[in-house]
Amino acid sequence: MAQFRAIVVEKGDQGTSAALKTVDDADLMDGDVTVRVSHSTVNYKDGLAVTGKAPVVRRFPMVPGIDFAGVVESSTHPDWKPGDAVVLNGWGVGETHWGGYGERARVKGDWLIPLQPGLSPAQAMAVGTAGYTAALSVAALERFGMTPDRGPVLVTGAAGGVGSVAVALLAKRGWTVIASTGRPGEADYLKGLGASEIIDRAELSNPARPLGKERWAAAVDSVGSHTLANVLSMTRYGGAVAACGLAQGMDLPSSVAPFILRGVSLLGIDSVMAPKARRLEAWRLVGESLDKDKLAAMTTTIGLDGVLEAGKAILEGAVRGRTVVEVK
Ligand code: NDP
């Protein structure tokens, strides 16, 4: 019987634990496509899964890893044949269905999309779910009608994964980008990605007034809580904010003032269950507008044996940009 290496999260009396193990092919979950996984990544949610800090894993034992890139080994799905290069983001993979931190994955073919032309599997995972979420956010702002001539765009959590990709994409698409970070030492990094102005996230971290000075036309917020409330209160008349994250918290201690007095719109971004057309649109946007050198500048590469450490670090807000996992 064939075996492969995988990070496995198990549940015991003391809570959950994660370790690199050898697993049998026979243990793979149901699906109509088997993929040889070459790369995965460490997203915020993966940090929660491997540390057990929040109950994102809802079935045990679980191979975490909410995204992967690889090559189809076998398929009974009409869209996929052996040798196809594929990418998966979300769909509960790494939470309820074995995910990307294993050398092999068996999934539903409907969850897969083709590797974006022009990207290697490693580059696609340097983008990963965080970067694809950044692209979903940019696409949502543009679909809403937001254009760079309306004024600057703010990106919160800018030195993180979603934030770094959002800064690079927005700058390339002609926006003047204001990057909010708690790490002033990353100012040069963020300017290198295309940010024009850096602000201290402390300006946005405390309870918000209903309305503040109008500072930006649009925003991509990966932080939530008081930060999102402040972002909304300082968005210009008629502007829009794409809310995609909760790094500060899941709450939104805000008022309706920005909505009813300034016509500000809040656009919700979900990457997990996003329909295929939206996924393809986001990945096209990445293909069009993400400079490969900037992508390389924001990427650190580790092996499966580095995932547990990286998972802890991302929860501490200590990871810069994106972390790719070379699975095989
Ligand atoms: P990262 O940890 O890489 O980035 C988050 C960044 O947020 C940090 O780097 C830090 O940026 C900032 N931050 C962290 N803690 C705080 C805090 N207490 N207050 C203010 N800012 C803080 O994570 P990702 O980029 O991978 O994910 C970002 C968020 O987006 C997460 O909440 C994640 O769950 C969510 N997400 C949502 C998705 C969706 O489908 N909607 C998909 C993917 C991610 P800095 O140091 O620059 O201040």
Side-chain angles (χ1 to χ4, degrees):
M1 185 184 299
Q3 294 188 314
F4 64 94
R5 289 184 323 140
I7 305 271
V8 181
V9 177
E10 284 168 323
K11 191 170 190 168
D13 296 342
Q14 312 295 321
T16 66
S17 60
L20 184 54
K21 296 199 166 169
T22 300
V23 191
D24 286 338
D25 267 9
D27 295 331
L28 282 167
M29 294 176 69
D30 286 347
D32 47 11
V33 182
T34 304
V35 178
R36 184 157 28 87
V37 176
S38 62
H39 298 83
S40 184
T41 84
V42 182
N43 298 281
Y44 193 85
K45 197 185 264 178
D46 298 313
L48 295 174
V50 298
T51 59
K53 284 267 165 62
V56 294
V57 174
R58 295 191 299 282
R59 179 181 175 140
F60 299 93
M62 176 56 52
V63 175
I66 64 166
D67 49 19
F68 63 72
V71 172
V72 171
E73 261 186 0
S74 62
S75 166
T76 55
H77 188 284
D79 290 354
W80 307 111
K81 59 179 188 323
D84 286 343
V86 291
V87 164
L88 185 143
N89 300 103
W91 295 117
V93 165
E95 302 177 64
T96 54
H97 191 101
W98 281 20
Y101 295 157
E103 292 167 330
R104 206 158 292 144
R106 186 172 298 136
V107 296
K108 284 190 182 169
D110 289 349
W111 295 343
L112 296 166
I113 57 166
L115 177 67
Q116 174 67 26
L119 291 185
S120 68
Q123 286 169 329
M125 284 297 103
V127 176
T129 297
Y132 142 70
T133 301
L136 284 172
S137 304
V138 174
L141 290 173
E142 292 182 352
R143 200 179 313 114
F144 187 76
M146 300 308 297
T147 45
D149 59 327
R150 301 279 294 269
V153 62
L154 173 75
V155 175
T156 62
V162 173
S164 293
V165 178
V167 168
L169 288 176
L170 288 160
K172 178 78 175 188
R173 290 173 92 77
W175 288 86
T176 299
V177 180
I178 304 172
S180 162
T181 183
R183 291 180 272 177
E186 299 297 358
D188 285 346
Y189 162 73
L190 290 166
K191 287 192 171 153
L193 295 182
S196 300
E197 190 187 335
I198 312 296
I199 65 169
D200 189 330
R201 80 181 190 202
E203 286 185 41
L204 306 174
S205 299
N206 294 318
R209 289 186 294 152
L211 291 176
K213 184 169 174 260
E214 294 176 58
R215 294 173 70 178
W216 33 78
V220 174
D221 176 60
S222 65
V223 173
S225 191
H226 295 300
T227 300
L228 177 54
N230 277 296
V231 171
L232 287 165
S233 76
M234 295 183 216
T235 300
R236 286 188 188 173
Y237 193 94
V241 176
C244 64
L246 73 173
Q248 186 181 18
M250 208 182 215
D251 56 336
L252 177 51
S254 185
S255 80
V256 296
F259 310 125
I260 66 170
L261 298 176
R262 287 197 183 144
V264 168
S265 294
L266 185 54
L267 312 178
I269 306 299
D270 167 59
S271 69
V272 178
M273 305 304 286
K276 192 164 183 175
R278 287 280 156 86
R279 290 167 188 264
L280 295 174
E281 177 190 28
W283 278 100
R284 259 196 313 273
L285 196 148
V286 165
E288 267 168 40
S289 302
L290 192 56
D291 183 293
K292 302 280 168 50
D293 292 335
K294 289 183 179 167
L295 183 61
M298 65 176 86
T299 304
T300 307
T301 302
I302 60 172
L304 270 181
D305 54 358
V307 165
L308 302 185
E309 205 53 48
K312 281 186 210 136
I314 199 165
L315 297 190
E316 288 158 8
V319 170
R320 177 170 104 175
R322 301 279 305 127
T323 305
V324 169
V325 182
E326 268 179 358
V327 177
K328 194 150 189 163

